[in-house]
Amino acid sequence: LNLLKIAPGGHVGRFCIWTESAFKKLDALYGTWRKSSESKKNWNLPMPKMSNTDLSKLLKSEEIRMVLRQPQRKVDRKKKTKPNPLRNIRAMLKLNPHAAVIKRKAQLRGTKKAAKK
């Protein structure tokens, strides 16, 4: 007997010994895949989803590797920061086309005030 097979990780707390009568009692309680349960009505054992549980071997198989997409090696570049419309007039004009008229009026008002002084 291999201790690592019986108690995974070699931890004694996981060490459990099952007797043949315990397995028979479990079969009577939950049933088997061939015979239904004696005490539980309409209850079936869950079927395993995978017949081969060696996942690393499955992923390395040629049948699966042919179907998988190639990994994307392209590095995504960061987008440039969005321009501040309060400092960048082009960004402001994209958001508000009337901003050019308002800015021009403010400049004319400023030049009129400077001319009066």
Side-chain angles (χ1 to χ4, degrees), residues 2-48:
N2 185 353
L3 179 66
L4 294 176
K5 296 271 186 185
I6 297 172
H11 193 272
V12 181
R14 296 180 185 167
F15 186 67
C16 186
I17 297 176
W18 292 85
T19 61
E20 187 177 345
S21 62
F23 278 111
K24 287 181 181 177
K25 187 98 171 177
L26 284 173
D27 286 344
L29 181 64
Y30 293 108
T32 63
W33 284 307
R34 292 191 178 101
K35 188 179 95 176
S36 62
S37 171
E38 294 171 7
S39 59
K40 293 184 176 222
K41 299 291 179 197
N42 297 328
W43 195 87
N44 295 324
L45 278 176
M47 294 295 285

Side-chain angles (χ1 to χ4, degrees), residues 89-90 92-108:
I89 190 65
R90 286 187 183 151
M92 177 59 91
L93 289 175
K94 272 187 179 178
L95 295 173
N96 180 11
H98 191 66
V101 176
I102 295 170
K103 187 170 185 170
R104 182 71 181 148
K105 282 185 181 179
Q107 284 177 346
L108 290 174

Side-chain angles (χ1 to χ4, degrees), residues 53-68:
T53 57
D54 190 8
L55 190 62
S56 62
K57 185 178 179 182
L58 282 175
L59 292 177
K60 291 177 185 174
S61 70
E62 277 300 315
E63 293 86 13
I64 292 179
R65 291 183 70 89
M66 286 172 36
V67 178
L68 292 177

